[in-house]
Amino acid sequence: MDKRWVIKGRGDPEIVQQLSRELNINTLLTTLLVQRGVTTFEEARSFFRPKLLQLHDPFLMKDMDRAVYRIENAIRNHENILVYGDYDVDGTTAVALVYTFLKSLYREVDFYIPDRYSEGYGISKAGIDFAHENKFSLIIALDCGIKAVENIDYALKRGIDFIVCDHHRPGDHLPAAYAILDPKRADCNYPYDELSGCGLGFKLVQAFSKKNHMPFKRLEKYLDLVVVSIAADIVPITGENRILAYYGLKLLNSNPRPAFTAILHYSNIKKKNEFQYVEEEFAFNRKLTISDLVFLIGPRINAAGRMESGRNSVELLVSTTIESAIEKAEQINQFNIERRNLDTMITQQALSQIAADPDFQNKKTTIVYNPDWHKGVLGIVASRLTEQYYRPTIILTKANGLITGSARSVKDFDIYNAIDQCIDLLEHFGGHKYAAGLSIKPENFEAFKARFESIVASTIEERMRVPEIEIDAKVRLSSISTKFYKILKQFAPFGPENMAPVFMTEGVVDTGFACVVGKNHLKLSVIHPDISGFPLAAIAFQQGEKLSIVQSGRPFSICYHVEENEWNGHVSLQLNIKDIKPLAEGWERTD
Ligand SMILES: [Mn+2]
């Protein structure tokens, strides 16, 4: 598929120059810093050297004092405490964190994860009934609860108090919880509002420890859970999240809890897609990155919630010995294999449905429906089809008499808005700009399909129909040196709002040995034809079809990440090429 290359603005040249002098590094590196919002010497220092001491005081959060007081009181009065969380990665890591922390101080603590299918997202009546029957009088809700106005009233009537720790946007009314920790509350002045649900759980235990004069050191062992939640929930890796992610990764790479050792054991890290070739052929060692957590660890924790119960995930996360973790991880790995098989099968069925539609080429959307598909993997399949055809996509199945499914969008197109214009045809609908869920009565389905297609067709801009590669800077190959990379590496951890930089270089040629290796990967070595310099090794994963551009003898342009490649103990730089175009083709600029 053709991609648009879009070059980011370079930032204020005066600030770039000034920062460059102060830090004594070149303007290419300072441009990258300024693009990431780092504009002063002080900001650069904390960017390159994140410190746990820079974490905000948890008591700056609205209601934190009340939350801590209520927990202290519960312990003093021997109340039963129930830690309640969502079934996804963020929810289960949050529960594991708060549950183990409290359990290390106090016996009468248990946890509860609602069933994805029978109870659904958020605080359920079934969960409250469970608490009531088992004499819990305090529920700490993590990663959910901010909109549970009715069910928290239901709990209150049964003598159960709630502490809500949620990072979702509140509705018009807050629930009648004893304390509500949510940095997105209008009346909360906490300096950072992008924490994950598990990050909020961490702030709660940080506050409890601080008030009770427990050393911060005792909390560091929970940071692996926090970084996994940050990665899986796709929150920005900025501010406080960046500090938590930095130390969380450090812990995961040095001394992970048994659960993560076990999950990695089953995920055969050598099979990661982007490094497929390198790792199948050579032994390749490197540290875990945020994207490993997204692609290897996250799906395995999620699989339990999708296929059986999120309770399994929490039990794995809190295991204290490697033996018990391996046992549970094996089971979860089975769920993940089942999930993957379902996902592959449904994707194939969806693709053949599309192939059988003679009108598909003329449409601007992808909508596929099969009453027999498993609801738990529809979102994943929708994402896959969005990648494949690059259109607003809806995948549906039948459940409880309704046609119900998941929607995914392409960059800049607001699918929530488009579906919202069909609201009169829908039974349920929720979500945000890029992802939504909906259900429709069967008799309204045809009308919905037609209206959704016509709304998308009349509102989507031409540019949104072509995937885009955002380029941080245009550079000469001579800028890419070991010294440059040594500093670039310190921009990590990479993730949303601090992505690994993409560079573009125009007018390079191959040194003559380009070839296709492994599963359609293009291996080449690039150089500027008119400037002396060393050739740089490059690999373009799954782009074997571009061999002809490279072998044409004419200069071409590349955009790429810079990486380190370790081979036989020898470390060298390698360009990981995202796209290749003949030199004549243009690019855009977003100054
Ligand atoms: Mn969350």
Side-chain angles (χ1 to χ4, degrees), residues 86 88 90-91 143 166-168 196-198 233:
D86 187 27
D88 74 358
D90 192 19
D143 194 32
D166 201 349
H167 65 144
H168 296 94
S196 63
C198 180
D233 239 38

Side-chain angles (χ1 to χ4, degrees), residues 85-117:
D86 187 27
Y87 39 71
D88 74 358
V89 179
D90 192 19
T92 51
T93 49
V95 168
L97 192 160
V98 174
Y99 169 77
T100 17
F101 174 80
L102 289 176
K103 197 78 181 174
S104 70
L105 305 170
Y106 179 62
R107 278 173 55 153
E108 308 311 322
V109 189
D110 202 350
F111 66 89
Y112 186 92
I113 305 288
D115 180 76
R116 186 182 175 105
Y117 304 106

Side-chain angles (χ1 to χ4, degrees), residues 87-301:
Y87 39 71
D88 74 358
V89 179
D90 192 19
T92 51
T93 49
V95 168
L97 192 160
V98 174
Y99 169 77
T100 17
F101 174 80
L102 289 176
K103 197 78 181 174
S104 70
L105 305 170
Y106 179 62
R107 278 173 55 153
E108 308 311 322
V109 189
D110 202 350
F111 66 89
Y112 186 92
I113 305 288
D115 180 76
R116 186 182 175 105
Y117 304 106
S118 64
E119 298 171 66
Y121 171 79
I123 311 293
S124 70
K125 281 215 165 68
I128 295 167
D129 290 341
F130 169 87
H132 185 58
E133 280 153 26
N134 294 284
K135 307 204 162 36
F136 289 92
S137 47
L138 175 62
I139 296 181
I140 303 175
L142 294 151
D143 194 32
C144 60
I146 194 68
K147 286 192 170 172
V149 176
E150 191 189 312
N151 285 348
I152 287 179
D153 280 342
Y154 179 84
L156 213 51
K157 286 197 198 100
R158 281 152 187 79
I160 300 168
D161 277 345
F162 259 89
I163 294 173
V164 169
C165 307
D166 201 349
H167 65 144
H168 296 94
R169 214 162 281 286
D172 292 336
H173 300 284
L174 291 176
Y178 189 89
I180 300 174
L181 308 175
D182 187 337
K184 295 202 177 80
R185 274 176 79 164
D187 56 354
C188 179
N189 296 320
Y190 192 71
Y192 187 68
D193 63 1
E194 299 289 356
L195 288 166
S196 63
C198 180
L200 270 171
F202 184 81
K203 296 311 288 189
L204 176 63
V205 306
Q206 187 192 359
F208 187 94
S209 307
K210 189 173 175 184
K211 171 102 181 283
N212 291 281
H213 311 287
M214 292 151 62
F216 183 85
K217 266 250 159 288
R218 264 178 81 162
L219 305 180
E220 290 180 12
K221 61 174 177 286
Y222 301 118
L223 291 173
D224 53 351
L225 293 169
V226 180
V227 69
V228 167
S229 78
I230 286 174
D233 239 38
I234 327 193
V235 291
I237 314 254
T238 54
E240 196 162 38
N241 278 347
R242 193 161 184 280
I243 304 173
L244 295 167
Y246 180 92
Y247 285 96
L249 274 177
K250 215 169 161 173
L251 177 61
L252 258 182
N253 278 306
S254 57
N255 188 19
R257 66 181 54 227
F260 295 132
T261 307
I263 290 175
L264 289 170
H265 169 80
Y266 283 104
S267 46
N268 188 10
I269 184 156
K270 288 175 188 164
K271 287 268 188 276
K272 199 210 159 190
N273 53 0
E274 285 208 335
F275 290 92
Q276 227 161 24
Y277 161 71
V278 182
E279 296 189 345
E280 276 167 16
E281 311 259 342
F282 314 105
F284 186 76
N285 295 312
R286 63 183 173 78
K287 289 187 171 154
L288 290 176
T289 62
I290 294 288
S291 68
D292 292 323
L293 312 189
V294 174
F295 294 111
L296 300 175
I297 296 186
R300 284 181 169 76
I301 298 176

Side-chain angles (χ1 to χ4, degrees), residues 482-540:
T482 321
K483 190 177 158 216
F484 171 76
Y485 185 71
K486 240 176 101 181
I487 300 173
L488 193 66
K489 230 165 46 170
Q490 298 175 47
F491 279 56
F494 296 118
E497 293 183 31
N498 183 32
M499 299 300 276
V502 177
F503 301 103
M504 178 185 77
T505 303
E506 290 179 300
V508 299
V509 292
D510 176 59
T511 53
F513 301 100
C515 58
V516 176
V517 296
K519 291 177 187 144
N520 196 33
H521 309 315
L522 179 59
K523 202 166 166 33
L524 63 163
S525 182
V526 292
I527 193 164
H528 281 295
D530 48 344
I531 305 165
S532 61
F534 295 106
L536 274 168
I539 182 122

Side-chain angles (χ1 to χ4, degrees), residues 43-57:
E43 284 168 359
R45 182 157 64 185
S46 37
F47 183 80
F48 287 125
R49 302 278 178 271
K51 291 270 184 301
L52 287 167
L53 276 171
Q54 294 165 331
L55 292 175
H56 302 300
D57 178 354

